[in-house]
Amino acid sequence: MADRKGADDVVGGGSNDASFSSRSEFVAEEPFRAYVDETKLLRKTDLHVVPILFLVYLAAFLDRVNISNALTMGLPAELGLEGQQSNIALCIFFVPYIIFEVPSNVLMKKLNPHIWLSGCILCFGIIMLCQGFVKSYSGLLATRFFLGLAEAGIFPGSFYLISFWYTKEEAQKRFTVYWSSTILAGAFGGLLASAIANMNHMRGLSSWRWVFILEGIATVLISVLAFFCITDFPREAKWLSPEERAFLLNKTKTDESRLVPVTPRDVLAFLRTPKAWLGGLMYLSVLVTSYSLSYFTPTIIQTLGYSTIQTQLHSVPPFAAAFGLAVVLAYLSDKARIRSPFIFLGLALLITGLSILITTHGSAHFSAEYAGVCLTAMGSFGIGGMIICWYVMNLRGHVERSIGTAWMIGFGNCGGIVATFLFVKKDAPYYHTGYTVCLSMGCLCIASCACYAFYIWRQRKAEVGIGKEGDGIDRELYL
């Protein structure tokens, strides 16, 4: 009875914010274990949190990068694109996307995730549908700009939300499942585009227009589903019982209210810390290669002489290989409770793949060049989600995570701007400039990850203290 009373004191008013202090002390988890099945609760959480976010971002990222397929299906000729206009169309997406990352996370805290994220994906789907009817280069630029604005909140908001549902040793697998939506979008996009290519001139519309129209309609439908299925933060989630809520808040140590305000002073204070810039550099440097592959894998493969449909089909295996590696590394990382060694393993694959692509060219060496593409995809996509998890889960509380998640992803997506100008027509088919820049970014990623690991090691040492017992604190920050 005493244990039950202690639990009731914490459960209090259930999801009522007034029953919790904004930054409360945590009680021990043990009183709750008697009447909360932890394994069942984790499975229940997985079903409510991850699948719908995965589906939402699969649709969003597919809509973002499907222009790479359209560029090989007649879009440039029909809209009269010249020189680097196609690259500018890719680039303009990132301008609002980067600027509105932090404001978006602040708005999500105020409006609740199921409202904000479903609204973002609805707008995204409508704009994508409109992109299928553009008649000029200026129309393409306008739709790409508003796509970036609509998607700004989805990726950082989802990672921010997921981080409050899991402990550090549970998080990597869930982060990787969500991150894998970007990998599968690359693979699925090629398969879908190869099928839609057969719809050329159906109802008087080119096949590249059908890519945008069909995917836009699907995205709108997903937004309706998202409104009813996306969960809110643990304190507001209605599908949790009071006991489950109290147990989860104590287990994850995330009892701080989402209503704690984020002020400009908080943002400036965060940006004065080394971890802010190290996190941004880690993500930016890996994203340069990831975006290069997302946007230009069909273009690179087409230079080997394949038809439109064969090009789309051959763009699938590199992403499938990356997905397999990401899942394996996530499992091993959570099991070992450490991130950095697995990240460096992925970076080794990235450097190897890019080295092959720089030195090996021509259809006579297709197997080696194609292997280089696969290794590069495995190295970049395989560790992208791990870098995010490593960084985000080492942030503490709603305020720091809302700022840090959006900052890392916003700053990192500057890499998307760089990537859109790396593989231009005049450099085909060898793309020396693109591969060299990607290789340089891979080296920068190694350096920034090493510096961040050293920063975390020093912070752990400072918190635990030499010769003190503090295993719980020591494991709180992951290396």
Side-chain angles (χ1 to χ4, degrees):
M1 292 300 291
D3 284 350
R4 176 70 188 184
K5 183 179 185 299
D8 288 340
D9 288 340
V10 177
V11 173
S15 61
N16 186 355
D17 283 336
S19 65
F20 293 85
S21 62
S22 63
R23 303 182 191 273
S24 62
E25 295 294 328
F26 294 98
V27 300
E29 295 175 35
E30 293 304 324
F32 301 97
R33 294 188 185 278
Y35 53 91
V36 173
D37 186 331
E38 187 174 3
T39 302
K40 183 177 179 181
L41 176 59
L42 182 60
R43 188 162 54 246
K44 182 179 177 182
T45 301
D46 286 339
L47 290 174
H48 280 85
V49 176
V50 179
I52 185 61
L53 294 178
F54 176 93
L55 181 61
V56 163
Y57 201 65
L58 174 66
F61 197 81
L62 186 62
D63 288 354
R64 184 200 303 186
V65 302
N66 58 14
I67 190 172
S68 65
N69 302 109
L71 290 173
T72 65
M73 298 168 70
L75 182 152
E78 189 167 335
L79 296 186
L81 302 188
E82 299 176 350
Q84 293 189 351
Q85 287 184 332
S86 59
N87 301 85
I88 294 172
L90 297 177
C91 173
I92 198 171
F93 171 93
F94 292 98
V95 176
Y97 186 83
I98 293 167
I99 293 172
F100 290 101
E101 297 274 8
V102 174
S104 174
N105 266 10
V106 174
L107 284 171
M108 192 177 84
K109 278 166 63 16
K110 292 181 178 294
L111 298 177
N112 266 336
H114 82 279
I115 296 174
W116 179 248
L117 294 178
S118 61
C120 288
I121 194 67
L122 173 62
C123 294
F124 200 89
I126 293 173
I127 297 166
M128 174 56 57
L129 182 59
C130 294
Q131 189 169 279
F133 297 96
V134 296
K135 301 295 185 181
S136 64
Y137 172 58
S138 59
L140 181 63
L141 290 182
T143 54
R144 290 291 296 175
F145 179 88
F146 286 109
L147 280 175
L149 180 62
E151 196 188 323
I154 298 173
F155 198 56
S158 297
F159 274 118
Y160 173 40
L161 176 61
I162 293 170
S163 72
F164 280 87
W165 283 96
Y166 299 100
T167 61
K168 287 181 174 62
E169 57 266 28
E170 297 167 346
Q172 183 62 70
K173 290 188 288 291
R174 281 79 186 178
F175 271 65
T176 296
V177 168
Y178 179 71
W179 167 261
S180 296
S181 62
T182 66
I183 305 174
L184 293 184
F188 184 63
L191 290 174
L192 188 61
S194 65
I196 296 177
N198 296 314
M199 298 176 63
N200 199 27
H201 301 307
M202 182 178 291
R203 295 187 176 274
L205 297 175
S206 303
S207 56
W208 66 266
R209 293 186 182 275
W210 282 112
V211 170
F212 297 145
I213 293 170
L214 294 179
E215 293 180 13
I217 293 172
T219 303
V220 170
L221 296 176
I222 289 172
S223 72
V224 177
L225 179 66
F227 179 81
F228 296 101
C229 294
I230 288 178
T231 187
D232 291 323
F233 295 106
R235 289 180 50 158
E236 292 79 36
K238 297 178 180 179
W239 51 271
L240 289 174
S241 70
E243 293 84 2
E244 290 172 334
R245 179 177 295 106
F247 175 82
L248 191 63
L249 290 173
N250 277 270
K251 185 180 80 166
T252 58
K253 305 296 186 288
T254 55
D255 193 29
E256 179 188 301
S257 172
R258 70 176 177 86
L259 298 178
V260 175
V262 176
T263 66
R265 181 176 295 180
D266 293 324
V267 176
L268 292 175
F270 179 80
L271 294 180
R272 284 196 293 265
T273 62
K275 64 183 175 184
W277 297 96
L278 289 174
L281 283 174
M282 288 192 298
Y283 196 51
L284 180 148
S285 52
V286 77
L287 273 194
V288 170
T289 303
S290 296
Y291 273 124
S292 295
L293 290 173
S294 295
Y295 283 125
F296 297 111
T297 293
T299 302
I300 293 170
I301 292 175
Q302 193 175 47
T303 61
L304 298 177
Y306 285 100
S307 66
T308 298
I309 294 179
Q310 284 296 316
T311 294
Q312 309 305 334
L313 291 175
H314 277 82
S315 68
V316 175
F319 293 99
F323 174 76
L325 179 67
V327 171
V328 171
L329 292 184
Y331 173 79
L332 294 176
S333 176
D334 270 351
K335 192 174 183 64
R337 297 185 175 183
I338 193 169
R339 310 289 185 222
S340 51
F342 300 99
I343 290 173
F344 289 123
L345 173 61
L347 288 171
L349 295 177
L350 173 64
I351 297 299
T352 301
L354 289 169
S355 299
I356 293 173
L357 291 172
I358 289 175
T359 57
T360 306
H361 307 288
S363 57
H365 304 286
F366 169 78
S367 297
E369 191 170 357
Y370 195 68
V373 173
C374 290
L375 288 174
T376 303
M378 291 168 69
S380 57
F381 283 106
I383 63 170
M386 187 170 291
I387 288 175
I388 296 175
C389 182
W390 187 28
Y391 184 74
V392 171
M393 295 304 291
N394 279 338
L395 301 174
R396 291 158 172 164
H398 264 288
V399 172
E400 191 172 63
R401 283 191 185 174
S402 64
I403 298 170
T405 305
W407 163 256
M408 181 193 202
I409 294 173
F411 185 90
N413 272 285
C414 292
I417 296 177
V418 175
T420 55
F421 292 99
L422 293 185
F423 293 82
V424 294
K425 290 182 179 179
K426 67 181 181 65
D427 291 337
Y430 302 135
Y431 298 112
H432 286 297
T433 300
Y435 293 139
T436 301
V437 172
C438 287
L439 183 61
S440 300
M441 288 295 105
C443 294
L444 176 61
C445 193
I446 292 174
S448 55
C449 286
C451 290
Y452 180 69
F454 179 70
Y455 174 86
I456 292 298
W457 175 79
R458 289 195 62 182
Q459 194 171 353
R460 279 166 47 122
K461 186 176 178 181
E463 290 184 352
V464 175
I466 300 175
K468 293 181 180 179
E469 292 185 4
D471 185 56
I473 299 175
D474 186 57
R475 288 187 290 108
E476 190 176 350
L477 293 172
Y478 269 29
L479 277 173

